């Protein structure tokens, strides 16, 4: 069903039914907008076990040596 078809059907409704439809559509749209937002801060500490046994100074020196 297309938006045009829905609009044609809505035109056949009474004014009160249109208001009810509008409220229901508004509620549907705002519900979709209220999905919880995610934060980058939730990623803090993720993967820290990968670096657990790595000497960061030695690792950075290796990267610098590779670059030169």
């Amino acid at each position: 069903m297309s938006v045009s078809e829905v609009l044609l059907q809505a035109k056949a409704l009474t004014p009160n039914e249109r208001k009810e439809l509008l409220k229901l559509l508004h509620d549907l749209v705002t519900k979709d907008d209220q999905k919880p937002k995610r934060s980058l801060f939730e990623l803090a500490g993720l993967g820290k076990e990968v670096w657990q046994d790595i000497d960061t100074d030695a690792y950075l020196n290796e990267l610098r040596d590779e670059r030169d």
Side-chain angles (χ1 to χ4, degrees):
M1 180 175 292
S2 71
V3 173
S4 298
E5 293 170 330
V6 172
L7 183 59
L8 283 174
Q9 290 182 359
K11 287 180 180 180
L13 299 173
T14 67
N16 284 337
E17 290 173 326
R18 288 181 190 172
K19 288 178 185 176
E20 183 180 355
L21 176 61
L22 185 59
K23 182 188 178 313
L24 292 170
L25 288 171
H26 178 268
D27 292 346
L28 179 66
V29 170
T30 54
K31 180 181 178 186
D32 288 344
D33 289 345
Q34 293 177 354
K35 290 181 182 175
K37 303 258 190 267
R38 304 302 303 248
S39 170
L40 284 177
F41 292 113
E42 293 178 43
L43 300 176
L46 187 64
K48 65 182 177 183
E49 67 279 355
V50 172
W51 299 98
Q52 194 169 19
D53 298 324
I54 304 291
D55 178 7
T56 54
D57 289 328
Y59 177 74
L60 289 173
N61 286 333
E62 284 179 34
L63 289 178
R64 290 181 184 126
D65 290 343
E66 289 175 7
R67 182 181 60 187
D68 295 335

